[in-house]
Amino acid sequence: MIRYRQADTVQEVAQILDWAANEGWNPGLSDAAAFLAADPEGFFLADRDGEPVAAISVVNHSEAMAFLGLYLCRPECRGQGIGYGLWQQALAHAGERTVGLDGVAAQQANYARSGFVRSGATRRFEGALEPRPDAAIARARPEDLARLQALDTTAGGYARPRFLTAWLEGAPDRITVCSETGFATARLCREGAKIGPVIAPTPAEALALARAALAELPPVKAIIDLPDSATGFEALLRAEGFVETFATARMYRGTSPKPLPMLQAIATMELG
């Protein structure tokens, strides 16, 4: 028997992220608590005979915007309609909101049949980036939160207050640094460290923020997910020896937001 339900504990969200790691998605070590804080009702599981076999998240960031991710089904349960049933239930959680996602190539046609329209791409770059502290960049403090929230809303085209509050609050393995005009978060992952979001008015400042954020963590490979509009930042990363390793289509059901060029790197492919 199949039962669809919410995953409403950090332990269950952590299990979903373990599945994502097995699929090669390389989540952050402390993602579960921050993800759940973004929308405690936005994570879903399908149980078969009491055992979780499929998962999805539809996180409501604001009254106008939601983001879909972590659409996973255990291999032995694929092709049986279990994941699609969960998909339908989870999307209902978004109501009339615009819903965004980063879709892998194999699923883009399926997403299109559910009303999602491609608006661009998200591309992953990996490489060795020299950590470099900067006198004009410091660790974010609680009193910086409102300013960084405003920068993120302006850059991305929509507000996500619960997610940013949890994300920027930090953890021993997730650090945010900021300047007067931008910020960047770096977090340790199962492999390397992902840097995102990176909000900065210029590619040069984006690179400086990324270096400063990485300097707060142990030496590891850097992984940065760029919107396809971040061509200047991409050029600087390629000059540092970064290579593209993965790409998704950024798709929306509903009116897509209008990000600005200062969005140099996204936070996550799971929550936008």
Side-chain angles (χ1 to χ4, degrees):
M1 183 178 71
I2 303 300
R3 181 172 75 98
Y4 300 122
R5 63 180 178 87
Q6 287 181 349
D8 55 6
T9 69
V10 170
Q11 291 75 19
E12 287 185 320
V13 175
Q15 180 185 36
I16 295 170
L17 291 173
D18 284 342
W19 292 357
N22 292 338
E23 296 291 329
W25 282 80
N26 191 28
L29 300 182
S30 298
D31 283 357
F35 281 14
L36 186 62
D39 183 355
E41 299 178 346
F43 295 81
F44 302 86
L45 287 167
D47 291 343
R48 185 171 70 178
D49 300 328
E51 181 74 15
V53 296
I56 195 171
S57 61
V58 175
V59 168
N60 291 342
H61 283 306
S62 70
E63 292 303 312
M65 185 70 199
F67 206 87
L68 183 153
L70 296 169
Y71 186 33
L72 302 157
C73 188
R74 289 172 57 172
E76 68 272 18
C77 297
R78 293 171 186 167
Q80 301 171 35
I82 298 171
Y84 184 62
L86 186 62
W87 164 278
Q88 291 176 304
Q89 174 159 322
L91 272 178
H93 175 64
E96 298 301 314
R97 294 172 177 84
T98 290
V99 183
L101 60 81
D102 276 306
V104 298
Q107 291 293 333
Q108 287 169 26
N110 289 333
Y111 299 148
R113 283 191 287 271
S114 291
F116 286 83
V117 177
R118 182 178 178 131
S119 71
T122 302
R123 295 181 296 145
R124 175 162 294 169
F125 289 84
E126 302 186 24
L129 184 65
E130 178 188 355
R132 188 178 299 168
D134 189 310
I137 299 170
R139 279 202 187 197
R141 306 161 298 171
E143 53 265 40
D144 294 317
L145 178 60
R147 179 172 66 88
L148 303 188
Q149 292 263 23
L151 282 171
D152 184 78
T153 299
T154 299
Y158 62 93
R160 44 183 184 173
R162 293 187 305 269
F163 172 62
L164 260 293
T165 298
W167 200 245
L168 302 182
E169 186 177 52
D173 47 32
R174 187 178 65 250
I175 304 297
T176 296
V177 298
C178 61
S179 65
E180 287 297 318
T181 53
F183 71 95
T185 299
R187 74 196 199 276
L188 292 178
C189 297
R190 310 295 175 97
E191 178 185 351
K194 291 182 180 176
I195 305 175
V198 181
I199 309 297
T202 66
E205 184 171 335
L207 186 62
L209 284 162
R211 290 188 189 279
L214 203 60
E216 301 287 341
L217 298 175
V220 288
K221 173 181 68 176
I223 304 161
I224 308 179
D225 296 332
L226 305 187
D228 55 5
S229 59
T231 54
F233 191 25
E234 175 189 342
L236 293 182
L237 291 175
R238 287 190 183 275
E240 295 289 330
F242 277 63
V243 296
E244 183 177 340
T245 60
F246 184 64
T248 64
R250 176 57 67 93
M251 306 178 75
Y252 292 98
R253 189 188 74 174
T255 303
S256 61
K258 305 299 182 186
L260 298 182
M262 64 189 297
L263 176 62
Q264 305 282 356
I266 69 165
T268 82
M269 289 187 180
E270 295 84 10
L271 269 69

